[in-house]
Amino acid sequence: MSDNPILTMLTDTLGPMGPVIALAALGGVMILAALPSMLKKREDPLDKLRAVTAAQGAASRAEKKAQKLRAGGEGNDKLEKFAGFLEPKSKEEMSESRKWLQKAGYRSPGAVRSFHAIQFAGALGLLALGLLYTMFYNSSHEVPLSSTVMILAIVLPGVFGYYAPKRWVNQRIAARTAEIQNGFPDALDMLLVCVEAGQSLDQGIIRVSKELEASYPAMAEEFATVAHEIKAGLDKPTVLRAFGERAGVPDVMSFVTVMIQSQQFGTSIAEALRLYAADMRDKRIMRAEEAANKIPTKMTLGTMMFTVPPLLIILVGPSVHDMMENFKSIGM
């Protein structure tokens, strides 16, 4: 029996599940208290302008329909009323979250909102699952769980549900960055061949995006995005800088700088590509050699763990056994 008078009172009043029921009731009250502020949307200074534009007729309705299609259909519209608490409040945080998700390959306009919705739903779902587990365990066993174990069994799944999507995105970013880093030298070689064959840089980017689609899909997607943005009429330096930010690879950022400088100063793009492609191949070989040189160091710990203890047993074991036998004979 616990010495805490509150736990004792809850157990006497509500039974063995008293602390869990009180914790669930407290959480429900807090959610209900915070729900009005969560559902309240931020005031948008462009609401009046949108209302006036929406009243203009068919052109306005067509624009809204296009915005819905770009947002990914009706699925994201269901989360629009929760945007007040599913999206960051400041523009800086919103921009950083969007860039972070773009590095993982999630580029839809509602990606930030969907990510926070998944976090919120995962945390609440696993929290409820932990609560159901503790209730089922206490009802099916004679000895109920202690208060500390019950709290951990309820809270830890909720924490896992909240941080699991973030870990998933970070793993996607790491895998995508490694793929871009490994495929970038091949992309530069193909781009150099296209430019030397007489194609423009824009045509070469389109061709490289098609050729790399099977081997390096992330690299092909990035080049395809660059080609579409250039076709849309965006400034080429701006498009290339955005490509470097999305990739998150220092080699790509250096390539972007070289391309922008070549365009600004009128130097030969083919010559710049040739020198940079050779440099990228050398860097890839150096990374492979570095990874190979790390293997003996990584194997040392395993070798020490699985080789030294059996060896010590084989060498020292007989001597220890003989010493123990001698001690027994002396004691007798």
Side-chain angles (χ1 to χ4, degrees):
M1 183 64 67
S2 176
D3 295 333
N4 195 325
I6 299 177
L7 294 179
T8 304
M9 182 185 66
L10 291 175
T11 304
D12 295 338
T13 305
L14 303 175
M17 293 295 296
V20 178
I21 295 174
L23 182 62
L26 180 61
V29 170
M30 293 178 65
I31 292 175
L32 290 176
L35 195 58
S37 61
M38 289 180 177
L39 295 178
K40 185 179 180 181
K41 288 187 63 175
R42 296 173 297 177
E43 292 186 0
D44 193 347
L46 298 178
D47 283 341
K48 295 182 179 180
L49 181 59
R50 292 195 186 101
V52 173
T53 307
Q56 292 179 355
S60 174
R61 291 193 296 269
E63 179 64 22
K64 286 186 177 181
K65 185 176 180 181
Q67 288 178 359
K68 288 182 179 180
L69 291 176
R70 288 194 296 268
E74 297 179 355
N76 288 330
D77 293 340
K78 296 178 181 179
L79 298 176
E80 187 175 359
K81 61 181 179 180
F82 302 105
F85 71 96
L86 290 180
E87 292 182 354
K89 302 298 181 183
S90 63
K91 293 182 179 180
E92 291 78 10
E93 293 179 359
M94 185 69 179
S95 177
E96 291 298 327
S97 299
R98 186 176 287 113
K99 289 180 181 179
W100 178 61
L101 291 173
Q102 284 179 352
K103 289 181 181 179
Y106 304 112
R107 297 174 182 172
S108 63
V112 178
R113 188 185 307 164
S114 300
F115 171 75
H116 289 291
I118 292 173
Q119 269 192 321
F120 188 72
L124 287 183
L126 292 182
L127 195 69
L129 188 63
L131 179 61
L132 292 176
Y133 169 76
T134 55
M135 294 176 64
F136 175 77
Y137 183 90
N138 289 338
S139 61
S140 60
H141 291 76
E142 295 181 357
V143 180
L145 295 173
S146 63
S147 301
T148 304
V149 176
M150 282 192 297
I151 292 174
L152 291 177
I154 294 173
V155 174
L156 288 182
V159 174
F160 175 79
Y162 182 80
Y163 285 103
K166 185 177 294 187
R167 180 172 176 80
W168 168 264
V169 174
N170 287 330
Q171 289 180 348
R172 286 263 305 181
I173 291 174
R176 191 179 179 86
T177 302
E179 182 181 340
I180 292 175
Q181 191 173 25
N182 294 329
F184 191 58
D186 294 337
L188 287 182
D189 290 336
M190 292 184 185
L191 190 60
L192 175 62
V193 171
C194 293
V195 172
E196 289 183 340
Q199 293 183 342
S200 65
L201 181 63
D202 302 345
Q203 294 173 341
I205 290 174
I206 296 174
R207 183 60 183 269
V208 170
S209 66
K210 295 179 180 179
E211 294 293 335
L212 292 178
E213 189 173 358
S215 56
Y216 300 104
M219 192 80 250
E221 183 182 357
E222 293 294 341
F223 272 94
T225 303
V226 171
H228 292 323
E229 290 179 348
I230 293 176
K231 281 184 178 180
L234 295 178
D235 188 21
K236 189 175 293 184
T238 304
V239 172
L240 292 176
R241 290 191 185 95
F243 166 50
E245 290 179 359
R246 288 194 309 268
V249 178
D251 295 338
V252 177
M253 293 294 295
S254 301
F255 165 74
V256 167
T257 303
V258 171
M259 289 295 99
I260 293 175
Q261 290 178 353
S262 298
Q263 185 180 8
Q264 290 177 347
F265 297 110
T267 58
S268 174
I269 294 179
E271 186 66 24
L273 282 174
R274 185 181 296 107
L275 296 175
Y276 203 79
D279 189 21
M280 290 298 100
R281 286 194 296 270
D282 294 339
K283 284 187 176 181
R284 184 165 61 179
I285 294 174
M286 291 173 61
R287 286 196 298 267
E289 292 177 349
E290 182 181 359
N293 292 330
K294 289 180 180 178
I295 293 177
T297 305
K298 294 179 179 179
M299 292 181 62
T300 301
L301 182 60
T303 303
M304 294 290 292
M305 290 178 60
F306 297 106
T307 303
V308 175
L311 185 62
L312 289 176
I313 293 174
I314 294 173
L315 295 178
V316 184
S319 301
V320 174
H321 181 268
D322 293 340
M323 292 174 61
M324 294 179 66
E325 292 295 331
N326 291 333
F327 289 150
K328 287 182 181 179
S329 61
I330 292 173
M332 293 177 60

